[in-house]
Amino acid sequence: MNTVTSTEYDSPIGPILLTFVDDALVRLHVAHDGIDPARAEIAQRLGVVPEPASSTGAALARQLDEYFAGKRRAFDIALDWRLVRGFTRAALEASLEIPYGEVASYGEVAVMAGAPRAARAVGTACASSPFSIVVPVHRVVRADGALGEYGGHPEVKEFLLSLENETVLAEGLRVGA
């Protein structure tokens, strides 16, 4: 039997609910509408109310702290893909290949996922990602370079991309100094 737990993380982009099945992240939810609705949504999707357990999310919380401080480029956390179906998983896995501080278009990610004509499906996959930030769907942009909506919160996408760009720029300045 699986153990389902959750913990809250206070981030620069708002409260985040981290939910785990055993030790694998099943959902990272930026709770723009509050933690309680986020908890209710994941309980409905999983069919069980997660038990509060800050210890389960401690490693990811540290990694998120490092990411927001510009000291982490990728996450080292097990992912539970049970909420992801079909092409969505291929698109999300492809977005993991986009380097920190860089972007790729929906069409480019479609090619990386093995379905060159599926740019719109990539957009749907990114919008429904249960692993935002950890799986960097914020690095996927429109073909014209426009950011896109990012779940109705383009300011969050802009913040994450700016954070990464500033980190890369600062590292470049240090190397050349």
Side-chain angles (χ1 to χ4, degrees):
M1 178 146 164
N2 297 44
T3 303
V4 181
T5 58
S6 68
T7 189
E8 296 174 32
Y9 176 78
D10 187 28
S11 82
I13 58 173
I16 295 176
L17 183 66
L18 305 171
T19 304
F20 296 84
V21 173
D22 298 326
D23 292 328
L25 179 68
V26 71
R27 180 92 162 100
L28 183 153
H29 187 121
V30 180
H32 298 289
D33 297 326
I35 290 292
D36 289 337
R39 234 186 224 110
E41 183 263 340
I42 195 61
Q44 180 182 19
R45 289 183 78 181
L46 294 176
V48 62
V49 176
E51 294 292 323
S54 60
S55 61
T56 307
L60 181 53
R62 279 190 301 278
Q63 291 181 41
L64 286 165
D65 286 343
E66 293 166 0
Y67 174 80
F68 286 117
K71 296 177 180 170
R72 175 172 287 276
R73 292 176 173 250
F75 293 87
D76 182 21
I77 189 82
L79 301 176
D80 182 317
W81 293 88
R82 75 182 63 214
L83 299 177
V84 181
R85 301 277 183 259
F87 177 75
T88 297
R89 182 168 179 166
L92 296 180
E93 288 176 336
S95 72
L96 284 167
E97 302 303 317
I98 304 168
Y100 181 92
E102 296 182 25
V103 296
S105 72
Y106 293 103
E108 290 169 327
V109 173
V111 169
M112 293 164 54
R117 296 173 164 238
R120 287 183 188 231
V122 169
T124 300
C126 290
S128 65
S129 172
F131 311 119
S132 67
I133 305 170
V134 171
V135 173
V137 295
H138 58 276
R139 297 180 191 150
V140 185
V141 298
R142 294 180 179 163
D144 66 1
L147 296 184
E149 284 299 307
Y150 199 66
H153 295 276
E155 72 282 0
V156 172
K157 187 173 193 171
E158 184 175 4
F159 175 88
L160 296 171
L161 291 173
S162 292
L163 170 76
E164 293 183 9
N165 288 332
E166 290 169 13
T167 300
V168 168
L169 179 63
E171 288 173 353
L173 291 175
R174 280 194 298 263
V175 170

